[in-house]
Amino acid sequence: MGKKAKKERDGYKKDVSVPVTDETGKIKKSFKHHNYSDSQAPIIRKQVEPETEKYFLEIANLFESQGVDVDERSVICGNALEEARGKELELATDYIISNTLESLLDGCNVDNLCSFLRGCANVFPAIAMDRSGSHVAETALKSLARHVQDSEAYTIIEETLKMICKVIVVNPVDLMCNCYGSHVLRSFLCLCKGVPLDSSEFHGTKGSKVLAERLNFRVSHLDVNDSQQFQQGFPNLLKFLVSGILNCTTEDMKTLQVDQYSSLVLQASLKLLAGDDQELLQIIPVILGCNKQNIVEGKLIDTIIAGDIVEAMKETAFSHLMEVILEVAPESLYDVMFTKLLKNSLFELSSDPCGNFVVQALIAHARTKDQMEMIWEELGLKFADLLGMGRPGIIASLIAACQRLQTHEYKCCEALAAAVGSKNETSKFIVPRILFLDSYFSNYDKSSWNWPAGAKMHVMGSLILQAIFKFQSEWIQPYILSITSMEAEHVLETAKDARGARVLEAFLASNASTKQKRRLVVKLRGHFGELAMQLSGSFTVERCFSAGSLSQKEAIASELLAVRTELSKTKQGPHLLRKLDIDRYSTKPDQWRSKQASKESTYKEFYAAFGSTDYKSTKGNKFCSDASMDTSELEELNTKEERDDTSAEKKMKKKKREREVASEDAVSSNKGIENAVNNFLSSGKPDKKRHRASKQRLKI
């Protein structure tokens, strides 16, 4: 019997306490706001009759013996579920039999499945709130999801779900506040929408995807075509269920806002209704606890409760809920919430461990430059304070929003540089201090801070620098000078750190000048083979190869050739070896050099044919950007190229390098143009459509 308990559940109890229900399945008021296990009047469910227990034991043994074919299994499942009629609650909440019941629900046809669910509709909330019954309910819903695409089954499934919905909305509070019931209810909502029931996005998990969206590293899921994400669902049932839940919980909303499990249900409801502005305009004020009469009169936010809402944002559950509200709110409602709820409270909330995430969401979803102006007035001069309090997420969100809305970009760069240094210091310390934010700001005497060898680099510091290097080069000259002035050993340590490597890649992909990038590349010479063996380092090597001169490319190829055997056994190695054409370099080095030179020449032809405003601006700023390089550094870059060359060969190579720099300056200004170049290479002549497409990408 122990083998049947496949899922991890807490200790076994034969008699499981379940919520008190009346004949309609309505949970009695004495259980309101209580988890059933903590309620004051638990009852012991009926014992499963010995004959019934023996019957389901025989079914379990039959399935375990694997002596049943597919057709027989469906018939057996249907017969067993018929035997369960009228005993659904007892069987579903039995620790052992519930496992067998899951197998039956998973293997039966849609008619038997719907028959079972209709039979237990009145006690569905009680089953969902039981630790064993919740697994049965989840399995039943997942089985239904597999049949939704069947047009013949759609109607019967819809009628079954409607019966359960009517029971849930009678008193949803206990179900929402129960750890098991909350999860089942979220799965039920997902089924109505037509999304995967186990989707982490709708079960409240805030992963790296959300952060990537906020920092412009990923397109928001609200901006993509939802028809590709969602399958056939029951939109009317979704609206009925959500509105029914909110209508029955208005008086309890203050409790539900700060409850961990009910907050997750409300978050899922909002995400599933994202894009339906008419519906969201009705339900968001209710969730915020606004007066119904004010909502009817068009006063979406009641200023009287603004203070209470701001205080509630300092609670973990409500702060998460508020983040979702700001994410999905229609533009008009977002503006009202900003001006009536959050304005003049941004720094106060930013100082709070939970409230600061609400501010990040507010900034990330700002719609207009005017809104960013108001945000900047409150936080623009607080960069040092925010970093000192350990709130770099606010800074990262500000930088990303300024990039997205194209406002205050230079001010952002200037404020961040001032926050990690003083006017009396050189700018070379900026990048190292951001890479080690916690180490720097926790140091009592910041003037004595040094590079902490061996320490892990800061996640948010890395993300901030990656965002910074997306700005125009004239705005980030202090950061460029800082990263190119780092000691060679520090550059190597940065490249070996997965977070630091992303920063180096962002710099090499920026529109800094080619010589500035090569100034960094030369500091990694002798370590490319070592870096290529690491997953994160391999991307850095690839970026260095793209940015390097012909001599630097050859140096990288030479180092990879030395470790080719070991590198080919790694996950990333084969791709890197193909990308850099190491096989050709090992057998026909002259042909490899000729191919690289030809590729650079083709890039030049491409830009001559298509033109590029970025290319022209890069050339125009070339003198200023290269002026920071001293004589010794220039000599370091050119030493290998000029070694053992005759005077005539030097002149030829010099002209060749000038062509390379011109083309590579343009290429480095926007890596996305490479696809258009490849099209040009394959077609052999310019194509007007590709020309327009590439220019459009540059504008974006």
Side-chain angles (χ1 to χ4, degrees):
M1 294 293 286
K3 293 180 181 178
K4 299 186 186 70
K6 296 178 182 178
K7 290 189 171 59
E8 293 184 5
R9 301 173 183 173
D10 297 333
Y12 168 70
K13 292 182 181 178
K14 182 67 176 177
D15 296 325
V16 181
S17 299
V18 295
V20 178
T21 57
D22 57 23
E23 62 276 4
T24 66
K26 180 177 178 180
I27 301 172
K28 292 186 177 179
K29 294 292 182 180
S30 60
F31 282 83
K32 212 169 188 179
H33 311 317
H34 291 277
N35 183 298
Y36 73 87
S37 60
D38 299 326
S39 54
Q40 298 177 352
I43 61 169
I44 305 300
R45 63 161 173 81
K46 295 179 181 178
Q47 289 282 346
V48 178
E49 296 176 353
E51 295 80 4
T52 304
E53 187 173 9
K54 181 180 179 181
Y55 174 79
F56 281 95
L57 175 59
E58 291 174 352
I59 296 291
N61 290 333
L62 184 61
F63 285 165
E64 271 195 354
S65 67
Q66 299 180 347
V68 183
D69 60 31
V70 176
D71 294 333
E72 289 180 341
R73 187 181 183 92
S74 178
V75 174
I76 293 172
C77 289
N79 292 337
L81 290 176
E82 185 68 26
E83 180 68 24
R85 181 172 296 181
K87 311 166 190 173
E88 293 91 352
L89 177 61
E90 290 78 11
L91 296 174
T93 55
D94 184 278
Y95 184 76
I96 300 300
I97 298 178
S98 63
N99 286 279
T100 306
L101 201 55
E102 289 178 55
S103 298
L104 296 173
L105 293 170
D106 188 57
C108 68
N109 60 43
V110 67
D111 292 325
N112 295 134
L113 180 61
C114 290
S115 177
F116 174 83
L117 286 171
R118 288 196 299 271
C120 66
N122 288 337
V123 291
F124 186 84
I127 291 174
M129 287 188 286
D130 180 80
R131 67 160 178 247
S132 297
S134 62
H135 293 288
V136 174
E138 291 271 3
T139 300
L141 295 177
K142 289 178 181 178
S143 296
L144 277 182
R146 292 198 298 268
H147 295 284
V148 169
Q149 302 307 314
D150 183 356
S151 58
E152 295 181 0
Y154 184 85
T155 302
I156 188 175
I157 293 175
E158 184 177 32
E159 291 174 354
T160 302
L161 294 177
K162 186 182 293 185
M163 288 182 63
I164 299 175
C165 283
K166 290 179 179 179
V167 176
I168 290 175
V169 298
V170 171
N171 184 12
V173 175
D174 291 275
L175 187 64
M176 294 171 67
C177 294
N178 178 274
C179 62
Y180 307 115
S182 170
H183 197 281
V184 173
L185 185 51
R186 281 174 270 149
S187 296
F188 196 100
L189 290 166
C190 288
L191 178 60
C192 291
K193 181 64 176 181
V195 301
L197 272 62
D198 54 356
S199 172
S200 60
E201 180 180 353
F202 301 104
H203 278 287
T205 303
K206 186 176 73 173
S208 57
K209 182 167 62 176
V210 174
L211 183 60
E213 290 176 4
R214 290 184 181 179
L215 302 185
N216 301 336
F217 291 116
R218 180 182 183 273
V219 177
S220 173
H221 67 278
L222 298 179
D223 298 329
V224 299
N225 187 359
D226 287 344
S227 64
Q228 297 178 357
Q229 293 184 350
F230 301 151
Q231 299 177 350
Q232 187 172 10
F234 306 90
N236 292 331
L237 280 183
L238 176 64
K239 293 179 182 179
F240 170 78
L241 182 56
V242 173
S243 61
I245 288 173
L246 293 179
N247 288 336
C248 296
T249 56
T250 304
E251 297 178 359
D252 307 296
M253 193 53 68
K254 285 188 176 180
T255 302
L256 300 179
Q257 288 174 348
V258 296
D259 180 82
Q260 175 186 353
Y261 302 113
S262 60
S263 173
L264 290 173
V265 173
L266 296 174
Q267 290 175 51
S269 302
L270 290 167
K271 290 177 182 178
L272 291 168
L273 289 170
D276 189 342
D277 289 358
Q278 185 177 358
E279 196 73 19
L280 291 169
L281 285 171
Q282 296 297 319
I283 68 174
I284 290 178
V286 175
I287 292 175
L288 291 175
C290 298
N291 185 281
K292 282 188 176 182
Q293 184 60 35
N294 289 338
I295 297 173
V296 172
E297 294 174 359
K299 300 175 183 178
L300 299 179
I301 303 295
D302 188 347
T303 54
I304 298 176
I305 64 170
D308 294 336
I309 295 176
V310 171
E311 282 301 311
M313 291 178 197
K314 298 176 183 179
E315 296 284 343
T316 302
F318 188 61
S319 69
H320 288 312
L321 177 58
M322 194 66 194
E323 288 180 66
V324 177
I325 289 174
L326 291 168
E327 178 184 359
V328 304
E331 186 172 345
S332 59
L333 184 55
Y334 173 94
D335 191 64
V336 171
M337 289 190 292
F338 183 20
T339 55
K340 292 191 176 182
L341 287 180
L342 296 166
K343 190 179 178 183
N344 300 323
S345 300
L346 298 187
F347 186 70
E348 175 192 347
L349 285 171
S350 298
S351 307
D352 185 78
C354 296
N356 82 92
F357 291 104
V358 177
V359 178
Q360 290 183 43
L362 175 77
I363 297 169
H365 299 290
R367 269 67 166 184
T368 66
K369 292 182 179 181
D370 290 338
Q371 290 168 351
M372 276 306 303
E373 178 63 37
M374 290 187 285
I375 292 171
W376 187 263
E377 287 177 2
E378 293 191 51
L379 300 177
L381 300 178
K382 303 288 188 180
F383 275 43
D385 296 329
L386 292 168
L387 291 175
M389 292 186 296
R391 304 286 181 261
I394 303 288
I395 308 298
S397 297
L398 273 170
I399 293 171
C402 288
Q403 284 178 339
R404 178 169 52 85
L405 297 172
Q406 297 182 349
T407 181
H408 294 80
E409 293 114 314
Y410 177 71
K411 289 183 178 180
C412 262
C413 299
E414 188 179 39
L416 178 60
V420 294
S422 62
K423 293 182 179 179
N424 300 326
E425 292 180 309
T426 62
S427 57
K428 71 177 184 178
F429 299 108
I430 294 176
V431 170
R433 288 174 179 175
I434 297 176
L435 284 173
F436 297 99
L437 274 177
D438 285 346
S439 172
Y440 174 69
F441 279 96
S442 63
N443 195 9
Y444 180 75
D445 184 9
K446 292 181 174 52
S447 61
S448 64
W449 182 86
N450 290 312
W451 182 283
K456 282 190 175 182
M457 295 179 180
H458 197 273
V459 174
M460 196 58 68
S462 168
L463 292 172
I464 287 173
L465 287 172
Q466 290 176 57
I468 284 291
F469 285 120
K470 291 181 181 179
F471 285 119
Q472 297 181 26
S473 60
E474 58 264 30
W475 295 336
I476 58 172
Q477 283 302 312
Y479 300 89
I480 294 174
L481 177 61
S482 178
I483 197 169
T484 55
S485 300
M486 288 168 56
E487 299 291 337
E489 59 182 294
H490 293 162
V491 175
L492 178 60
E493 190 174 335
T494 304
K496 288 181 177 180
D497 186 287
R499 300 159 186 173
R502 290 294 184 91
V503 175
L504 297 183
E505 292 164 35
F507 167 69
L508 293 171
S510 71
N511 64 352
S513 74
T514 302
K515 285 189 177 180
Q516 287 172 325
K517 295 176 183 179
R518 292 175 181 174
R519 187 180 177 188
L520 182 75
V521 172
V522 76
K523 296 183 180 183
L524 291 173
R525 182 172 293 172
H527 299 283
F528 291 113
E530 176 186 359
L531 291 173
M533 298 296 291
Q534 302 175 357
L535 182 59
S536 59
S538 67
F539 294 104
T540 307
V541 172
E542 190 174 333
R543 283 288 188 188
C544 289
F545 186 85
S546 298
S549 64
L550 283 175
S551 63
Q552 289 176 331
K553 290 178 194 269
E554 186 169 356
I556 295 172
S558 176
E559 292 186 38
L560 263 58
L561 179 59
V563 296
R564 178 171 58 173
T565 303
E566 296 82 359
L567 185 58
S568 63
K569 298 176 183 177
T570 64
K571 180 180 180 180
Q572 72 282 359
H575 165 77
L576 190 60
L577 292 170
R578 285 193 305 271
K579 185 79 173 179
L580 276 58
D581 203 5
I582 301 303
D583 287 341
R584 187 191 301 270
Y585 177 76
S586 66
T587 57
K588 301 176 182 179
D590 291 337
Q591 190 180 99
W592 182 90
R593 295 186 194 98
S594 176
K595 183 180 178 181
Q596 295 299 325
S598 176
K599 188 175 181 180
E600 299 298 343
S601 176
T602 306
Y603 275 123
K604 182 181 178 181
E605 291 177 15
F606 174 83
Y607 283 104
F610 289 98
S612 171
T613 54
D614 287 349
Y615 170 58
K616 294 175 182 178
S617 64
T618 305
K619 287 188 69 178
N621 293 331
K622 187 177 175 184
F623 175 81
C624 296
S625 62
D626 290 344
S628 61
M629 297 183 68
D630 57 36
T631 305
S632 62
E633 288 162 343
L634 286 171
E635 290 175 353
E636 183 182 17
L637 285 173
N638 297 326
T639 298
K640 186 175 181 180
E641 295 175 347
E642 296 180 354
R643 186 179 302 158
D644 300 327
D645 284 339
T646 64
S647 178
E649 289 173 335
K650 287 181 180 179
K651 289 180 180 179
M652 291 177 65
K653 287 193 175 184
K654 183 177 180 181
K655 290 181 180 179
K656 199 172 184 180
R657 283 198 304 274
E658 289 175 352
R659 291 196 299 268
E660 294 163 11
V661 169
S663 61
E664 289 172 356
D665 280 347
V667 173
S668 62
S669 68
N670 194 311
K671 185 64 176 176
I673 203 72
E674 187 173 352
N675 291 332
V677 178
N678 291 332
N679 289 334
F680 174 74
L681 286 170
S682 60
S683 65
K685 59 182 180 179
D687 182 272
K688 291 182 179 180
K689 289 184 178 180
R690 292 188 181 116
H691 175 44
R692 288 196 297 270
S694 61
K695 279 200 167 186
Q696 184 63 29
R697 280 196 291 271
L698 285 173
K699 289 179 182 178
I700 293 173

